Amino acid sequence: MWSRLKILRTRFTTLEYSPRYSRLAGELSCYKPQLEKRVMDLNASGQQWAIQAKELLRDAERYLQQNKIDEGWKSFHAAQRLTICVMTDPERLAVAKSLFREAEKFNEWRKEAIINLLGKRPEGVTAIPTAEALTHAAELRDEAYDNLFYLNRLVRNLFWMLSTLLFLTISGIVIYFIGIIGEMGKNYVNELSLTGYLVGVLLFGLLGALTSAIVSTRQLTDSPRISELGSSQVITMSKIFIGAGFSVFIFLLLKSSLAQHIDIFSFNISQPLDYFAIAFASGFTERFAQKAINLLLGKEKPAEKKKENG
């Protein structure tokens, strides 16, 4: 029993059991004896490619201990590419054929670059590539994977931040309803103060903005290109605050006398839950706020007047 608890504690308190750490650690432990065997078979311990490859592996292990996983992968990939220059012709041909097929997974320009380096469509790899061409093709492949790992790290950090904020917002909404229902009971529909409305609208506006940000982050993972600006926490937070601000603006507009002269919605709004639902939608999308601003500035006519003019 105690041994199992100790193992469980180790899993949560050390890096060795994290998927990213263990994957790189496994690749390094498997590749080191392969490199040593190649160096011994070629009697190349004093040659530059062997010295540099071993140094890159040591760098990768050092980065791994520092939990710099992306830097570790780059060093590991560079060490692998250095061995291409001493591969036999059959080895280079086999690697080229594998890389030629693997190129189908990449975006169009990278795929075309690798294919042009190694062979032609639809024949495939028909000749043994030079060490330089194969090294460059492998570098393009490794760069694609390095970019993917980097994008995954950016998105993962952003997801953690948004999930934490979403949990706090939902907790705030639960506490908010417990408070107003505990104080006013079912009469909160008629007795809720302006301050109570504003707090509820702000919470639901944040909920809508956070939901929109999470949906946008999920769409970011489908992009083949790295977008540091799109995955920036500062940019995302600004969008969330803008959404919350729009929800408060829409609420104040609906409560003001101006609402009698412009038709933002085609339905009646009377209860707190109506305002909260609109606040969520205002935080989720900017369309409501843009429509309201256009109506205020006279750039968009109300729907009823459009029909009359038609």
Side-chain angles (χ1 to χ4, degrees):
M1 177 66 180
W2 289 110
S3 60
R4 291 183 179 180
L5 290 176
K6 186 177 180 180
I7 293 174
L8 185 63
R9 176 177 173 274
T10 304
R11 286 181 177 271
F12 283 102
T13 56
T14 59
L15 297 172
E16 285 81 359
Y17 290 96
S18 66
R20 298 179 75 236
Y21 185 101
S22 60
R23 183 169 179 266
L24 178 56
E27 291 287 345
L28 288 174
S29 64
C30 292
Y31 185 70
K32 283 180 67 176
Q34 295 178 21
L35 179 62
E36 289 291 343
K37 182 178 184 302
R38 184 180 290 274
V39 171
M40 291 180 62
D41 291 344
L42 297 174
N43 194 21
S45 58
Q47 296 181 15
Q48 281 299 313
W49 72 266
I51 295 173
Q52 292 176 9
K54 291 181 179 180
E55 182 64 28
L56 285 167
L57 283 184
R58 284 192 290 268
D59 290 343
E61 290 177 328
R62 185 175 69 253
Y63 286 133
L64 182 65
Q65 295 305 318
Q66 298 172 355
N67 199 32
K68 296 180 178 179
I69 307 300
D70 293 336
E71 291 84 350
W73 276 112
K74 289 181 179 180
S75 297
F76 173 60
H77 288 154
Q80 286 183 313
R81 291 195 300 270
L82 284 175
T83 62
I84 293 177
C85 65
V86 293
M87 285 183 178
T88 62
D89 289 347
E91 284 180 318
R92 288 209 306 272
L93 183 60
V95 172
K97 288 182 177 181
S98 175
L99 187 52
F100 191 91
R101 297 294 299 272
E102 192 176 4
E104 296 296 332
K105 299 189 298 184
F106 304 138
N107 57 32
E108 195 62 30
W109 78 263
R110 195 180 298 273
K111 176 172 64 176
E112 289 297 326
I114 294 175
I115 289 175
N116 291 334
L117 283 168
L118 301 180
K120 296 180 180 179
R121 285 199 181 107
E123 296 86 356
V125 180
T126 56
I128 299 172
T130 63
E132 292 77 10
L134 187 57
T135 299
H136 187 45
E139 187 175 4
L140 289 172
R141 176 201 60 191
D142 295 339
E143 184 184 45
Y145 289 130
D146 290 339
N147 290 345
L148 180 61
F149 296 148
Y150 179 59
L151 178 60
N152 288 342
R153 186 180 66 177
L154 291 177
V155 173
R156 184 177 63 255
N157 293 339
L158 191 58
F159 264 126
W160 271 110
M161 183 192 74
L162 293 175
S163 300
T164 302
L165 291 175
L166 184 63
F167 173 77
L168 293 175
T169 302
I170 293 176
S171 300
I173 291 174
V174 172
I175 295 172
Y176 171 77
F177 275 110
I178 291 175
I180 62 173
I181 293 176
E183 181 180 350
M184 307 175 193
K186 295 181 179 180
N187 294 327
Y188 81 93
V189 174
N190 301 317
E191 297 179 5
L192 191 62
S193 64
L194 180 61
T195 302
Y197 267 109
L198 283 174
V199 173
V201 165
L202 186 58
L203 285 172
F204 277 92
L206 284 172
L207 181 64
L210 285 168
T211 305
S212 176
I214 291 175
V215 172
S216 299
T217 304
R218 289 180 57 188
Q219 294 174 349
L220 179 65
T221 59
D222 297 330
S223 174
R225 294 185 178 181
I226 291 180
S227 176
E228 292 187 86
L229 184 63
S231 57
S232 169
Q233 294 184 1
V234 176
I235 298 298
T236 303
M237 287 300 298
S238 67
K239 292 179 181 179
I240 292 172
F241 287 130
I242 289 173
F246 277 159
S247 65
V248 174
F249 165 73
I250 292 293
F251 168 74
L252 295 176
L253 182 62
L254 292 174
K255 281 291 188 180
S256 69
S257 59
L258 295 174
Q260 301 175 3
H261 306 287
I262 56 177
D263 298 326
I264 302 177
F265 303 110
S266 59
F267 46 84
N268 295 325
I269 303 169
S270 58
Q271 297 186 7
L273 293 180
D274 299 338
Y275 290 101
F276 297 160
I278 291 174
F280 177 90
S282 301
F284 188 87
T285 177
E286 300 175 3
R287 290 176 58 189
F288 284 159
Q290 291 175 347
K291 179 180 179 181
I293 292 173
N294 288 336
L295 288 172
L296 281 175
L297 298 178
K299 294 182 179 180
E300 182 176 335
K301 296 181 180 180
E304 293 182 0
K305 292 185 178 180
K306 284 184 178 179
K307 290 182 180 179
E308 291 175 2
N309 295 335

